[in-house]
Amino acid sequence: MPMPSLDRSPRFTARCGLLLCLALIFSYLEVRLPLVFIPIPGFKPGFANLVIAFTAYTCGCPTAAVISILRVLISSLLFGSVTGFWFSIAGAGASLLIMTVLLHTVRRYVSPLGICVASAAAHNIGQLTAASVLLSPAVFSYFPVLMAASLFTGTLTGFLLGRLLHSAERIPLLRRISPPDCPPTKKGSQ
Amino acid sequence: MKPMRHPGDAVIYGIVLMAAILAFVCPHLTGRAGDMPRTVVITYDDTRLTFPLEEDCTVPVTTASGHTVMIRIADGHAAVTESTCPDGVCIRTGVIERTGTAIACVPAGVLIEIEGGVTDADAILG
């Protein structure tokens, strides 16, 4: 699999900036608006992940990786903590890894729903692993709850991602970028 | 594109669901869920008494200052049921069951704490 190089056109840069800003806005909202009606600590709808998955679908996984890492860095600097940074980066890394693997191997068999559930689960596993290293292995007692939560949030973001990808085809700025930077969504060339 | 009709989705849902169920069930089967059994630690004067939280019992404690405090351990809870202290704050504290929680009877100088077990993962994951 050839590693696609990042596009350096102004159009592409502008799009990445937009996506990064969106991801940051969602991170901020998730930090500032705790879901009081769902009393599970650490529970987030994962809308930032939605932006990352959208990027992976429309601009390719390397771009998604860059945006994801930048998002974690900037959001930790602006409204996070040092420990929070390690949790976030572990979660984001695991989620990106599984997203990349799935999109490059079984893309034609998996819909955005599956991608989002898998990446939400991977995000939680990554966070738990970081927490068990940094704090105590006891946090793994929390695993079943987080897995169940990722089914729920993954379904929500996956549904939204499906609708978004459908709508984005009609918006020139958000349309899928031509290969080799990204493989086609529908037919699954890779 | 339709977000349905993808067999891989079912596989992913299945794996995540199985992981959740297995992780929930396995610790109970192997008995590793709580790891350390929780204990009730009663400290007064220079004495430190330890009781398993799982076994029901009533512990009368008489301190050097002359106060008597009755501590009841039942159904995985611990509570002060009777006390000769003047204000009875220890009785009104009610039951404790989570690791790290405590009842203090300051006039009598008795401290009841729950120790051991898995520390709660709450407030760790953000």
Side-chain angles (χ1 to χ4, degrees):
Chain A
M1 191 191 319
M3 185 76 182
S5 59
L6 288 175
D7 189 343
R8 284 169 195 261
S9 69
R11 187 186 142 92
F12 182 78
T13 311
R15 176 195 280 210
C16 286
L18 268 179
L19 290 170
L20 177 58
C21 283
L22 254 183
L24 279 170
I25 289 169
F26 282 128
S27 306
Y28 182 72
L29 287 180
E30 286 180 350
V31 170
R32 289 293 135 170
L33 301 174
L35 296 171
V36 280
F37 50 91
I38 304 173
I40 307 175
F43 183 91
K44 290 181 192 172
F47 288 127
N49 193 45
L50 172 62
V51 179
I52 304 301
F54 180 81
T55 314
Y57 262 100
T58 57
C59 311
C61 293
T63 314
V66 171
I67 290 185
S68 182
I69 292 167
L70 283 175
R71 172 190 84 83
V72 171
L73 268 176
I74 297 174
S75 70
S76 299
L77 278 175
L78 289 181
F79 23 81
S81 62
V82 181
T83 345
F85 169 75
W86 291 113
F87 292 169
S88 300
I89 200 93
S95 147
L96 263 171
L97 186 72
I98 200 86
M99 209 185 280
T100 310
V101 168
L102 287 177
L103 283 179
H104 280 284
T105 54
V106 290
R107 191 186 189 106
R108 85 181 73 180
Y109 304 112
V110 179
S111 76
L113 271 178
I115 295 286
C116 281
V117 169
S119 66
H123 187 271
N124 286 334
I125 292 172
Q127 277 205 330
L128 270 186
T129 311
S132 70
V133 170
L134 291 173
L135 302 158
S136 142
V139 292
F140 267 102
S141 61
Y142 208 44
F143 186 81
V145 184
L146 284 180
M147 285 298 103
S150 59
L151 275 181
F152 179 70
T153 58
T155 305
L156 174 68
T157 52
F159 172 75
L160 291 174
L161 178 63
R163 302 304 297 263
L164 263 179
L165 287 171
H166 182 67
S167 313
E169 287 298 310
R170 280 177 278 149
I171 304 169
L173 184 64
L174 293 178
R175 197 174 292 146
R176 185 154 30 87
I177 294 176
S178 58
D181 200 30
C182 90
T185 313
K186 280 180 190 169
K187 295 190 177 146
S189 67
Q190 300 225 5
Chain B
M1 69 176 292
K2 283 257 189 295
M4 289 296 168
R5 300 195 183 287
H6 290 79
D9 287 0
V11 177
I12 292 172
Y13 272 81
I15 292 174
V16 175
L17 195 61
M18 283 305 288
I21 292 171
L22 280 180
F24 183 72
V25 171
C26 276
H28 291 282
L29 291 181
T30 55
R32 284 180 57 244
D35 286 330
M36 302 248 297
R38 280 180 297 174
T39 52
V40 181
V41 178
I42 303 169
T43 316
Y44 64 96
D45 301 335
D46 290 328
T47 316
R48 182 185 158 94
L49 302 174
T50 306
F51 299 90
L53 188 61
E54 307 311 321
E55 288 173 33
D56 295 1
C57 63
T58 306
V59 186
V61 163
T62 306
T63 63
S65 57
H67 286 291
T68 302
V69 178
M70 294 287 276
I71 296 135
R72 174 92 184 121
I73 302 171
D75 306 324
H77 304 284
V80 173
T81 50
E82 291 171 41
S83 174
T84 54
C85 63
D87 43 17
V89 171
C90 49
I91 298 172
R92 286 202 303 275
T93 304
V95 295
I96 54 171
E97 56 178 323
R98 288 156 68 110
T99 301
T101 49
I103 302 174
C105 185
V106 178
V110 177
L111 181 65
I112 301 124
E113 293 167 287
I114 307 249
E115 290 188 356
V118 172
T119 45
D120 285 312
D122 295 10
I124 290 174
L125 301 164

